[in-house]
Amino acid sequence: LAEAAVLLAVVAGVGELVRRLLSAGRVLTVAAQAVTVLVLLAVVFVRDRAIAGFLPGPEAVAGWQALLEAGAQDVGRYAIPAPPTDGIRLMLVGGVLLVGLVVDALAVTARTAAPAGLPLLALYSVAAGLSGGKAVWQYFLLAAAGYLLLLLAEGRDRLTRWGRVLGGPEQVRASAPEARPGPPAGGTRFGRRIGVLALGAALAVPAVLPSLDGGLLDGLGTGGGGSGGGGTINAVNPLVSLQDNLVQPEDREVIRYSTDAPDSTGMYLRMVAMDEFDGTTWRASRRDLQDVPGTLPRPDGLREDVAVREVTTDLSVSDDFDPNWLPMPFPASQVAIEGRWRYEPAGRLIVGDKGQTGRGAGYTVRSLVVEPTREQLAAAPPAPEALRREYTRVPDSLPPDVKDTALEVTRGAGSDYERAVRLQDWFTVKGGFRYDVSVSSGTGVEAISRFLEQREGFCVHFSFAMAAMSRTLGIPARVAVGFTPGSPQADGTKSVGIRDAHAWPELYFEGVGWTRFEPTPSRGTTPEYTRAEAPVDDTPVPEQPEQSAQAVPSQAPSRQQTCPPEARGLGECGQDQDQGAAPAGGSGFPLGPVLLIAAGTVLLVLLPVLPLLWRRRARSRRLAGPPGRTEQDAAARVLAVWREVEDTAWDYGIPPDGSHTPRRAAERVVRLGGLTGDAAAAAHRMGGTVEQVLYAPRPRPAGSPAEDAARIRAGLRAAAGRGVRLRAELLPRSSARVLWALSDTWLSLSGRLSAARTRVTVRITAALPGLALPGRRRG
């Protein structure tokens, strides 16, 4: 960001320099800034490929393309915060420069500050969206205050100048601030009050109305509720970043804890339970929140005859991890933590309120270690009807092969417990599934079917599939998200890294409650109550569908198996030759950056010469004049040549002034342009000819106006310095007439559209004379 700010300051400085010192038009100012952007990006990112170290050429464009391709892959590979690779830096810096160029062109060059808020809003929206609902209100306040200051500055300028100045520098000086009264103090105060009220409403309304959350201001008061009861869960779906966390280039620590449990291999740190399944994904239901009680209620469905042990765990969250939900062992019975936290009873979740997160938090959790026997699980009676109805619901859009496969795998099982164990063993042992975090999680109702067919994926696939299949069998199920127990440290604590992020299914058994299962192979630990003597020996395995050569597991170690995770996360292992699915972020180079680079190259080549080409074409057309031999045609040719003389003088620093007569205007060109000899005589002759054409009863132009215009141009060029001549040739000031013509065209088109709309309204009103407006009828 610091790099982008410095480069953006350079681009803004170039625009100010071109506007003030060179008195260039709007198009030339924006063109100069665009060329500056390309040069800066070449110097910073592809200097070794640029011409002379700073001019973008074909090799520089190829370098940008390679960086953008690598950046697109990095964005799809890494989670936030991503490492600052060269590709991501180019995307970030280039995007900020593009937005800054648009804002500067609108607010300063075109003097229309209000539309400049749109690109600023786009920039803020990206940051607010990527923040995961944790946008800090100070940033919004800073952005809004800056925009209001921009509007205030434009308003003061408009009042000072009494409208835009479209003429040359002399007209600007004639309407300078000292010649006009300043803005009225009352209007300024009124504008400030409006801005303060609008900004205050934008900040206060979302905080007091929880139903308005979830937008760009999300994070200013999410969760709702206050200190009393009420409020609902409103947090980001944790599955969005789960796969990204698993492929991080560095396994940074996010949680460290110590516990008095004799065996912590099964101590999963659970954050949230997702119980709503729509056929495409799982999400947490919106439920009422409560204050965190001193002692949490006993878990639902847990009987007294089931063995439990209570353990105490002290946890601390790192400063670069800010979860909405509090990671803790399940089921917790007591939580001691400072801050604004709420309790959701159905999922036994501790949820941050009004932007509260677990960043840097230290807390203590007392939890239960539930140790049911296989006999207790197998003899579990049916779940209560209300719970069973809610947690066995599946959408009608779920493909039928999901239930068919579940029935085939569990054929012959005598209880829900046996069915659950058979599903777990099928995923981990007998089904031929392979763990691979590079497989796309997929979307749509066919995602589970594709996973069951391809038989490769990571924890999201396995937990989704087992929970959905369990529901089709009538077993209440949901998906939990959190972390596996982590790795032991020398000081006796456990360190949980970002790559320990995990998802697993929880199934409900009356008398035991919600029970963890582990269907993901090579991840986590299989629960003790599902291991030995589980009735899985006679599990019928459904016939394997025909698979392509890529779908058949290879006996040789794959590149994913032989490459260390650290090197694979950094992209040092190359691409798998047999990889059948694309990464989550997608593969291939996006078309947008290619078109952007192509457009930038065209601008780089054409923009510097566009004013020169337009000026030469206009000169040739004017000197040729309109065809025809009548006196009116001859008069039109003289006026066209006179316009060319005015523009030529303007290009050499003598702006046109419509307040002078043609003769006085010619004398002014002679005096300010330093014309002598034939050039001065030609200028005086042109002034007399134009006066004769404009005011004589019968215009009779004499001489050759085109030749006089050529002599005047040669005289101005001879009297000017080298820099002025170069400026007049390459960046002619008279090219501003193009923008004036476009403005006139737009005003004319707007007028015609407004007139047409008025005519249509009148006709409709006349056609419906008896139509009464609502609220106007008298009683």
Side-chain angles (χ1 to χ4, degrees), residues 34 62 116 186 326 520 569 620 673 707:
L326 202 62
T520 306
S620 175
E707 294 179 0

Side-chain angles (χ1 to χ4, degrees), residues 213-255:
D213 57 11
L216 295 180
L217 305 184
D218 193 19
L220 303 180
T222 56
S227 60
T232 57
I233 295 178
N234 184 26
V236 178
N237 192 328
L239 296 175
V240 173
S241 60
L242 180 56
Q243 183 179 18
D244 295 332
N245 293 335
L246 295 175
V247 296
Q248 279 290 309
E250 297 180 1
D251 189 15
R252 68 180 189 278
E253 181 180 274
V254 294
I255 302 172

Side-chain angles (χ1 to χ4, degrees), residues 635 638-639 641-646 660-670 675 678-696 700-709 712:
V638 170
L639 295 179
V641 173
W642 177 244
R643 174 60 63 88
E644 172 60 27
V645 171
E646 288 184 322
H660 294 290
T661 64
R663 192 180 300 274
R664 291 294 183 183
E667 295 175 356
R668 178 170 172 265
V669 170
V670 172
L675 299 183
D678 291 344
H684 290 301
R685 191 164 46 248
M686 275 296 304
T689 302
V690 173
E691 280 191 347
Q692 200 274 340
V693 166
L694 291 176
Y695 306 121
R700 295 182 183 275
S704 176
E707 294 179 0
D708 288 340
I712 295 172

Side-chain angles (χ1 to χ4, degrees), residues 577-620:
Q577 300 298 327
D578 59 345
Q579 185 173 347
S587 60
F589 182 62
L591 181 61
V594 174
L595 297 179
L596 182 61
I597 291 179
T601 304
V602 173
L603 288 176
L604 181 65
V605 174
L606 293 183
L607 279 179
V609 298
L610 281 179
L612 172 64
L613 297 177
W614 175 85
R615 191 67 186 86
R616 289 186 175 181
R617 181 176 180 273
R619 181 182 301 119
S620 175

Side-chain angles (χ1 to χ4, degrees), residues 310-337:
E310 190 172 56
V311 298
T312 302
T313 306
D314 296 317
L315 304 99
S316 61
V317 181
S318 67
D319 291 334
D320 60 351
F321 179 54
D322 53 348
N324 296 85
W325 300 275
L326 202 62
M328 56 186 183
F330 179 82
S333 58
Q334 191 174 31
V335 181
I337 186 173

Side-chain angles (χ1 to χ4, degrees), residues 613-633:
L613 297 177
W614 175 85
R615 191 67 186 86
R616 289 186 175 181
R617 181 176 180 273
R619 181 182 301 119
S620 175
R621 187 177 66 253
R622 290 168 178 170
L623 295 181
R629 298 183 179 181
T630 65
E631 294 179 352
Q632 290 76 12
D633 295 331

Side-chain angles (χ1 to χ4, degrees), residues 16 79 119 147 189 219 224 270 309 367 372 427 434 473 551 553 621 693:
E16 188 67 14
Y147 181 54
R189 288 196 299 270
R270 179 179 178 271
R309 290 184 293 108
S367 59
F427 283 116
R434 184 172 67 90
L473 298 176
R621 187 177 66 253
V693 166

